[in-house]
């Protein structure tokens, strides 16, 4: 698998080896568990008895629940067992390990393919919770979870889609799974979720895409799936709370040539210039990084960015930004003020 790190470039004798932003972790830190309130729970009395049993002998309880995931049980029994496994694994890492060791993963994966959408939803969410444990990720993937999760991402309830995106994100944290997930058809579905989903769905999709697109072939898939359109739209909406996430995903895609014409065609240049002018310090820095990638080899794109009025806000940033932002702003100003710089053996580089 070819992994693609964000490399920099040399311009006029200056090496820009890192065009990333200092900290992207806080932009992608909230796709980490299911939301219990979205699921009906057992009656208070039966739930009280269950929790009492769990505290007394959780191993026996888990074994009992795993047995009721079997296809020989009724749909209602399977639902109840999957729901309780989801709840037991939500906040307790030790339970996630116990549940996996009890053999729950394969029957839960089978539930993800159920024609009963609620049962599918419970199975997806239980797998999500189990995937939060690093020790379980390889077993979940090797047990065949990726394709059923992708089907749930395509055909499930809104909650199943969101939790499937999160589960795929967790599995993608193992490098060997990134390409497998991309080749399973997940990328176009995540792009669609980014474009049409609710706020939580957009956050989950962007986080999963950010993880998956450290693999070069997934970047190409994302661009071919039309990702630039929703990214530009989200970055243009300062009230969306998605500017940072969208910008980080876009910055990751800029290392593949296909991304640049797509960004321009979707109207990304004026949006990026506006962010340099009016965004937060972090947003300004990442917007300048994207513009540097866009302009580094194209006279046409440099001219386009300059005509959008980028130089005045870049000058302001070069004087008042962070040290990294100042460096990037100065580099971009140099590019824009010398739009006919010669490269490639004396030939002007265009698109």
């Amino acid at each position: 698998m070819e992994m693609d790190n964000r490399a920099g470039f040399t311009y006029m004798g200056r090496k820009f080896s890192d065009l990333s932003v200092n900290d992207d972790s806080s932009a992608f830190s909230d796709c980490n568990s299911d939301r219990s309130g979205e699921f009906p729970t057992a009656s208070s009395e039966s739930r009280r008895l269950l929790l009492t049993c769990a505290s007394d002998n959780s191993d026996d309880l888990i074994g009992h629940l795993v047995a009721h995931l079997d296809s020989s049980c009724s749909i209602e029994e399977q639902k109840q067992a999957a729901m309780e496994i989801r709840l037991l694994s939500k906040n307790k890492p030790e339970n996630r390990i116990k549940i996996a060791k009890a053999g729950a993963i394969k029957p839960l994966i089978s539930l993800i393919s159920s024609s009963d959408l609620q049962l599918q939803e419970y199975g997806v969410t239980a797998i999500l919770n189990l995937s939060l444990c690093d020790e379980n990720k390889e077993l979940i993937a090797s047990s065949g979870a990726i394709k059923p999760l992708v089907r749930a991402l395509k055909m499930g309830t809104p909650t199943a889609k969101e939790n499937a995106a999160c589960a795929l994100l967790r599995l993608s944290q193992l490098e060997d799974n990134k390409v497998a997930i991309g080749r399973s058809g997940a990328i176009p579905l995540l792009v669609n979720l980014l474009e049409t989903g609710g706020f939580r769905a957009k956050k989950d999709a962007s986080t999963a895409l950010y993880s998956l697109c450290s693999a070069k072939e997934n970047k190409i898939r994302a661009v071919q799936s039309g990702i630039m359109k929703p990214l530009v739209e989200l970055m243009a909406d300062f009230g969306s709370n998605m500017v940072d996430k969208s910008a980080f995903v876009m910055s990751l895609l800029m290392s593949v040539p296909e991304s640049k014409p797509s960004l321009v065609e979707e109207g990304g240049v004026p949006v990026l210039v506006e962010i340099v002018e009016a965004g937060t310090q972090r947003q300004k820095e990442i917007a300048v990084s994207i513009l540097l990638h866009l302009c580094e080899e194209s006279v046409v794109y440099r001219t386009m960015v300059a005509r959008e009025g980028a130089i005045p806000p870049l000058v302001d940033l070069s004087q008042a930004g962070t040290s990294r932002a100042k460096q990037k702003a100065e580099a971009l100003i140099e590019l824009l003020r010398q739009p006919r710089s010669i490269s490639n053996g004396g030939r002007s580089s265009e698109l």
Side-chain angles (χ1 to χ4, degrees):
M1 176 176 64
E2 180 181 0
M3 303 309 297
D4 189 19
N5 296 321
R6 283 170 288 181
F9 67 100
T10 300
Y11 176 68
M12 296 185 67
R14 299 174 65 186
K15 176 68 176 178
F16 298 92
S17 59
D18 182 8
L19 298 184
S20 63
V21 178
N22 268 331
D23 179 23
D24 56 10
S25 60
S26 62
F28 297 102
S29 61
D30 52 3
C31 183
N32 56 12
S33 71
D34 73 78
R35 282 67 165 177
S36 291
E38 295 179 0
F39 295 82
T41 58
S43 68
S44 58
E45 178 63 18
S46 61
R47 184 74 185 140
R48 184 185 66 78
L49 291 172
L50 181 78
L51 292 175
T52 299
C53 177
S55 62
D56 291 342
N57 194 337
S58 61
D59 290 343
D60 284 352
L61 171 63
I62 289 169
H64 173 78
L65 293 174
V66 171
H68 282 77
L69 295 174
D70 191 85
S71 59
S72 63
C73 297
S74 70
I75 291 289
E76 291 307 313
E77 287 175 320
Q78 289 178 301
K79 285 182 182 178
Q80 187 68 30
M83 182 181 66
E84 298 298 350
I85 286 174
R86 175 185 62 77
L87 293 172
L88 288 172
S89 60
K90 179 175 172 61
N91 296 314
K92 292 188 176 182
E94 64 272 19
N95 282 346
R96 295 170 192 152
I97 295 173
K98 288 180 180 180
I99 290 166
K101 287 183 176 179
I105 288 175
K106 286 191 175 181
L108 284 171
I109 291 172
S110 296
L111 299 188
I112 298 175
S113 300
S114 172
S115 59
D116 185 294
L117 292 181
Q118 188 178 54
L119 184 57
Q120 179 193 68
E121 186 177 296
Y122 290 176
V124 167
T125 310
I127 286 292
L128 164 60
N129 285 351
L130 295 179
S131 73
L132 301 180
C133 177
D134 288 341
E135 291 90 331
N136 291 340
K137 290 174 185 173
E138 184 175 354
L139 178 58
I140 291 171
S142 64
S143 297
I146 291 174
K147 289 184 178 180
L149 285 170
V150 171
R151 286 197 296 271
L153 189 61
K154 181 178 183 179
M155 303 175 64
T157 65
T159 299
K161 290 179 179 180
E162 292 161 0
N163 287 343
C166 278
L168 290 168
L169 162 67
R170 295 300 162 185
L171 298 183
S172 74
Q173 291 169 347
L174 295 179
E175 294 298 327
D176 290 345
N177 291 336
K178 292 183 189 291
V179 168
I181 293 170
R183 292 176 179 175
S184 71
I187 301 292
L189 298 172
L190 288 167
V191 170
N192 182 65
L193 196 62
L194 183 66
E195 185 167 15
T196 64
F199 178 59
R200 182 197 153 194
K202 292 178 189 294
K203 290 198 301 180
D204 293 348
S206 67
T207 308
L209 286 162
Y210 185 79
S211 177
L212 289 167
C213 286
S214 63
K216 183 177 180 180
E217 68 179 72
N218 286 343
K219 298 181 193 216
I220 297 170
R221 287 191 183 95
V223 174
Q224 291 174 340
S225 299
I227 194 174
M228 285 299 175
K229 180 176 184 291
L231 289 180
V232 169
E233 290 174 349
L234 290 168
M235 289 169 60
D237 182 2
F238 283 87
S240 69
N241 293 318
M242 286 290 296
V243 176
D244 294 56
K245 282 182 169 62
S246 302
F248 278 118
V249 175
M250 182 179 287
S251 72
L252 199 59
L253 300 174
M254 295 306 294
S255 60
V256 295
E258 295 88 344
S259 66
K260 298 179 181 181
S262 179
L263 183 156
V264 172
E265 289 166 10
E266 296 298 341
V269 170
V271 171
L272 289 164
V273 172
E274 183 182 5
I275 291 173
V276 175
E277 184 172 4
T280 65
Q281 282 295 320
R282 183 165 70 169
Q283 290 166 0
K284 290 179 180 182
E285 183 183 338
I286 193 65
V288 173
S289 295
I290 294 169
L291 289 170
L292 271 169
H293 277 297
L294 181 68
C295 293
E296 60 185 322
E297 296 178 352
S298 173
V299 173
V300 171
Y301 292 157
R302 292 177 204 171
T303 303
M304 187 180 299
V305 171
R307 286 177 178 171
E308 285 295 333
I311 291 180
L314 285 169
V315 171
D316 290 341
L317 186 61
S318 71
Q319 296 171 349
T322 65
S323 59
R324 287 164 58 91
K326 288 179 180 179
Q327 183 187 43
K328 294 172 187 178
E330 290 168 359
L332 185 53
I333 289 169
E334 289 182 13
L335 280 172
L336 298 182
R337 285 180 172 169
Q338 300 185 31
R340 298 190 181 278
S341 61
I342 302 301
S343 60
N344 297 332
R347 291 173 295 167
S348 178
S349 176
E350 294 293 329
L351 294 179

